[in-house]
Amino acid sequence: MALSATTTIAFKTVNTQICSRNFLPPQRHLPFSSSLSSSSFVRTVSARAMELERKNPPVIDENGVLKKGIAEFYDESSGIWENIWGDHMHHGFYPPDSTVSLSDHRAAQIRMIEQALRFASIPLEDERKWPKKIVDVGCGIGGSSRYLSQKFGATAVGITLSPVQAQRANALAASQGLANKVSFQVADALDQPFSDGQFDLVWSMESGEHMPDKAKFVSELARVAAPGATIIIVTWCHRDLGPDEESLKPWEEKHLKKICDAFYLPAWCSTADYVKLLESLSLQDIKSEDWSPYVAPFWPAVIRSALSWKGLTSLLRSGLKTIKGALAMPLMIEGFKKDLIKFAIITCRKPE
Amino acid sequence: MRLLTHNMLSSNIKGVEKGFPLRIEAEKVVEKPVEMNADFLRKMFEKVEWKAFVEASRSMGYAQLPEEVDSGMLESDEFLSRFHHALLELHLEEGALVCPETGRRFPVNKGIPNMLLHEDEV
């Protein structure tokens, strides 16, 4: 790859502890019922977490370092992404085995939103049942919020850790005449600045992978959901563990860690882990599916765009974080090919 | 930040029982006219916490909203235009949102509130 010359620069790994296996916090933070804690998977992981905590005193403000890294990564990279790919910072949805050109990708990204709504059984034909208040958790530069607001005539608020993204998202809303319906704030998905039960659609499109505490992330999604609301999570997961497996294989852990370092991701979990978390919160109609076959053309297309003249010149003008992220892209393709990485959708409903 | 947004935001600092509404410290308020949509206003009327809205509007320098309201007022053009003005045309560009219980200030810069909590507030 043409950028290999830059690999001679030694990139400082932000935090080697970030991608540890222990994404569940010590027991005292777990908000959910004993039906989950009875599973051996939780016992193993939380026992290991406590053991590690005893042996290695936690790095001070580890999550703070991660959050800062995420904010800076997106502060630096969002502009270049938007310049080449537009305002949707998520995968496109492609018919399997299709060949697509760059001009099809925006349509594919819209299709991803529409397919997600369909999968979640949002009653698209009945206007009276459309969501009226939407929250976009990990909103990027607001592509989903603006699209959903226009589609449903709803208000939407988005939250992001990146001040640059919030600024850009608001500016785009204003330029599209949507500023009275859509607004963006800097806030943490793990502590959403909203009171309980405010939103009838809770939307998380490819932000879950950044959340260091999956249990807290999911419980916040449930908290801000109104009775009867729909929760839609589209996120990167690792493959479900087999019945005899306690963890991924060493090569799989190593592979994911490289991606974590480049994209400011904490430890990955599986789709099954998300389903268990939603079950523990007594959410209903829980559905999940592996959409990896439908996103296959995406990373090759992103790489091609990075290697274009526009892509290369933009990258070289961007910064080390963006370049490091770009260099990790082949790892995503490899991860999908080896059935390690899964592109997952998980949806559910909050009881009335 | 418009008052429509302010009406949704709350302080979730650990231990805080009632983090809504956030008090407004206005340093720079800008008025940006926007076209009125009566249908939208009627829909929003159901969702707005009115007392918090009137108080917030006052902090932004606009005191023309009635203290008490009923849905009959939605027929009045005068009321709709005041509601519209306060809800959508007043922008807090610089200032802060203050937690009603702890006094903690969440800064607002360039119109964007920063609601990130510190490590010890989580």
Side-chain angles (χ1 to χ4, degrees), chain A residues 297-336:
Chain A
F298 181 73
W299 287 104
V302 180
I303 290 177
R304 274 197 305 275
S305 72
L307 294 176
S308 67
W309 178 251
K310 190 176 182 190
L312 280 176
T313 51
S314 308
L315 274 172
L316 291 171
R317 275 199 307 262
S318 62
L320 285 184
K321 287 187 169 70
T322 311
I323 292 174
K324 195 176 164 192
L327 288 173
M329 295 192 290
L331 293 171
M332 290 299 294
I333 296 178
E334 201 187 328
F336 276 113

Side-chain angles (χ1 to χ4, degrees), chain A residues 1 236 251-252 254-263 268 299 303 324-341:
Chain A
M1 199 162 125
W236 310 354
W251 77 261
E252 293 176 317
K254 255 177 72 180
H255 189 94
L256 290 181
K257 186 177 180 317
K258 286 190 233 167
I259 297 174
C260 288
D261 288 347
F263 289 146
W268 294 53
W299 287 104
I303 290 177
K324 195 176 164 192
L327 288 173
M329 295 192 290
L331 293 171
M332 290 299 294
I333 296 178
E334 201 187 328
F336 276 113
K337 280 210 177 96
K338 294 185 172 166
D339 276 329
L340 166 59
I341 295 177

Side-chain angles (χ1 to χ4, degrees), chain A residues 286-297:
Chain A
I286 301 171
K287 291 186 273 191
S288 68
E289 200 166 83
D290 177 8
W291 278 7
S292 309
Y294 304 114
V295 302

Side-chain angles (χ1 to χ4, degrees), chain A residues 43-65:
Chain A
R43 273 202 302 276
T44 311
V45 174
S46 44
R48 177 107 180 94
M50 287 191 273
E51 181 193 49
L52 277 175
E53 217 182 19
R54 271 196 306 276
K55 281 190 184 166
N56 318 316
V59 172
I60 291 162
D61 200 11
E62 179 181 304
N63 285 349
V65 172

Side-chain angles (χ1 to χ4, degrees), chain A residues 261-274:
Chain A
D261 288 347
F263 289 146
Y264 295 89
L265 306 178
W268 294 53
C269 69
S270 68
T271 309
D273 292 335
Y274 271 110

